[in-house]
Amino acid sequence: MGVLSTSEKKFVVGDNGYVLEDVPHLSDYLPDLPTYPNPLQDNPAYSVAKQYFVNMDDTVAQKIVVHRSSPRGTHFRRAGPRPKVYFESEEVYACIVTCGGLCPGLNTVIREIVCGLYDMYGVHRVIGIEGGYRGFYARNTIPLTPKGVNNIHKRGGTILLTSRGGHDTSKIVDNIQDRGINQVYIIGGDGTQKGASVIFEEIRRRGLKVSVVGIPKTIDNDIPVIDKSFGFDSAVEEAQRAINAAHVEAESYENGIGVVKLMGRYSGFIALHATLASRDVDCCLIPESPFYLEGPGGLFEFIGKRLRENGHMVIVIAEGAGQELLSECMRNMDQKDASGNKLLQDAGLWISQQIRDHFATRLKVLHLKYIDPTYMIRAIPSNASDNVYCTLLAHSAIHGAMAGYTGFTVGPVNGRHAYIPFYRIIERPNKVVITDRMWARLLSSTNQPSFLDPKDITKGRDEEQPQT
């Protein structure tokens, strides 16, 4: 087994096609850092923890369904407390920032980071950055204590305020450096994680002892690699109320149709799971599955059939579904929000009007009710399931930062929490430059690393990419 690295990536290649996609560590660019015993082993409330410190060789497999002859495949470093830490409790100065849209559970994650740092590691200097990334240089900070955050998990939204855009890497890192912050917890979606990755790279370039940790947040549940994003269960549960209202409206009228639009810009997880859970939905439209309106097998034909059979129906549509069907005059093709996301038209309102127009002369009576709970389902407090999940995410993030890991996102992979390098979360990996010595070591393995696509590999000379 050998440790291979490029300028941006670390991976370990083992026997039988085993590949560990490792995360950066402070010691990668700050050698000879001192270590300290983990305070958990002396904390009476966590005395049992020392029996369960994570072994340095523990990893989590990305793919667990394999054939007998399949390579072991890609793994990630397992999350959890380590026997040694790279920060003394008194020296830690942590900050938390929330970016992007709202999501159930944001306040719970904030609360559990604060309480976890205080209770587990004795860290008493934690601040909140107000207003997203621009808050690092444009707003004041607020002190965060366990008493101050005690009840925030019972409220929706984020006490730290949030925003889109406003990312200025130099100003942000300047602020981190000037304040003496050495642990940065960034909560947000894929755009936010991209920003966190850039911040980490600048911090590494400057040689600062600062851990940058991402906690993935998106109500759409479309973060790569991880099993599920926090807040998703709460959103699906709240969506049931809108679907139930649409069903009541639809079945109370002759030829009644209830249309519910749910969040889902490029993925229809909320719409799909809410549909499966409710059992009152006749048709679910999601971005991943194109549909058409007219002709055999079209949406209009299905609606007519359903109305003849049952006298009413319920349609759930994700906000990103059917965008290609909208006329060019209704599109904002070049308009984007502050996060760089393309502005979408209201697919629910559009599909409702199309249904009305099509059946206006075909049915004597048509009652269509359109319900849009988009911002209602993301503004609620998190439910019990998400509260537990948010606690585990927060604690895993803290353990990783204290252990000196940086430049990673935390999340469950096949049910086990793991540390995932930023590049796996935010984008397809770039070309991997492998030196002759690395190449020979790779070829000596029985099975090739499953994550390395041949077209993504270029060979370089050993002196161009020194081995570490």
Side-chain angles (χ1 to χ4, degrees), residues 129-387:
I129 306 296
E130 288 191 308
Y133 278 133
R134 60 171 52 90
F136 277 99
Y137 53 86
R139 297 185 69 92
N140 293 326
T141 61
I142 59 174
L144 298 175
T145 64
K147 183 177 181 179
V149 301
N150 187 47
N151 292 311
I152 65 173
H153 63 294
K154 300 175 183 178
R155 295 150 47 185
T158 167
I159 64 165
L160 298 181
L161 309 182
T162 187
S163 67
R164 297 188 182 276
H167 190 281
D168 188 316
T169 306
S170 295
K171 289 183 178 180
I172 291 172
V173 178
D174 286 345
N175 186 276
I176 291 171
Q177 188 171 4
D178 292 343
R179 290 179 182 273
I181 294 170
N182 50 26
Q183 290 186 9
V184 182
Y185 297 92
I186 301 174
I187 310 169
D190 54 355
T192 300
Q193 301 302 310
K194 288 180 182 178
S197 177
V198 175
I199 291 172
F200 157 69
E201 293 294 344
E202 177 63 16
I203 284 174
R204 179 165 63 176
R205 188 189 68 79
R206 298 189 188 188
L208 305 178
K209 185 185 176 183
V210 179
S211 285
V212 180
V213 182
I215 299 176
K217 175 240 34 154
T218 171
I219 201 170
D220 291 343
N221 195 34
D222 58 356
I223 296 288
V225 182
I226 66 172
D227 297 343
K228 182 176 60 177
S229 54
F230 74 83
F232 176 72
D233 283 349
S234 301
V236 170
E237 186 175 304
E238 184 69 11
Q240 300 299 293
R241 298 177 60 186
I243 293 174
N244 183 62
H247 184 246
V248 170
E249 289 284 347
E251 68 176 356
S252 298
Y253 292 91
E254 179 184 357
N255 291 329
I257 300 177
V259 177
V260 180
K261 187 188 78 172
L262 297 174
M263 299 191 75
R265 176 176 291 274
Y266 301 118
S267 60
F269 283 107
I270 292 179
L272 181 60
H273 281 251
T275 293
L276 293 173
S278 75
R279 300 298 172 183
D280 288 331
V281 179
D282 299 275
C283 180
C284 178
L285 305 174
I286 59 177
E288 297 91 333
S289 182
F291 64 93
Y292 55 95
L293 303 180
E294 305 277 358
L299 180 62
F300 292 152
E301 180 186 69
F302 178 76
I303 292 174
K305 181 175 181 291
R306 210 62 171 169
L307 291 178
R308 289 192 299 271
E309 292 174 348
N310 296 340
H312 67 276
M313 73 174 299
V314 175
I315 300 172
V316 168
I317 181 170
E319 62 178 326
Q323 290 293 317
E324 70 280 0
L325 299 179
L326 295 175
S327 62
E328 291 295 329
C329 63
M330 294 179 63
R331 282 181 167 177
N332 292 323
M333 296 296 292
D334 298 324
Q335 295 189 24
K336 297 181 179 181
D337 62 20
S339 296
N341 300 314
K342 186 175 71 173
L343 293 176
L344 302 179
Q345 291 297 317
D346 192 330
L349 193 61
W350 176 79
I351 202 73
S352 298
Q353 190 58 51
Q354 296 301 308
I355 294 171
R356 288 191 181 98
D357 293 344
H358 179 80
F359 289 99
T361 59
R362 291 171 172 81
L363 296 174
K364 293 182 179 179
V365 179
L366 178 71
H367 293 275
L368 188 147
K369 304 297 182 183
Y370 174 50
I371 298 176
D372 181 0
T374 297
Y375 295 104
M376 293 175 61
I377 69 171
R378 75 177 197 175
I380 62 170
S382 53
N383 62 13
S385 173
D386 273 323
N387 274 336

Side-chain angles (χ1 to χ4, degrees), residues 27-77:
S27 60
D28 293 341
Y29 61 92
L30 294 173
D32 302 322
L33 284 176
T35 61
Y36 313 95
N38 194 320
L40 284 176
Q41 60 190 359
D42 299 320
N43 188 325
Y46 295 92
S47 58
V48 71
K50 60 185 176 183
Q51 303 176 32
Y52 301 102
F53 281 132
V54 173
N55 189 290
M56 289 301 295
D57 293 328
D58 283 356
T59 58
V60 179
Q62 182 178 8
K63 185 178 181 181
I64 60 174
V65 179
V66 297
H67 298 292
R68 182 173 59 182
S69 59
S70 297
R72 293 178 63 186
T74 300
H75 291 64
F76 300 104
R77 190 167 292 279

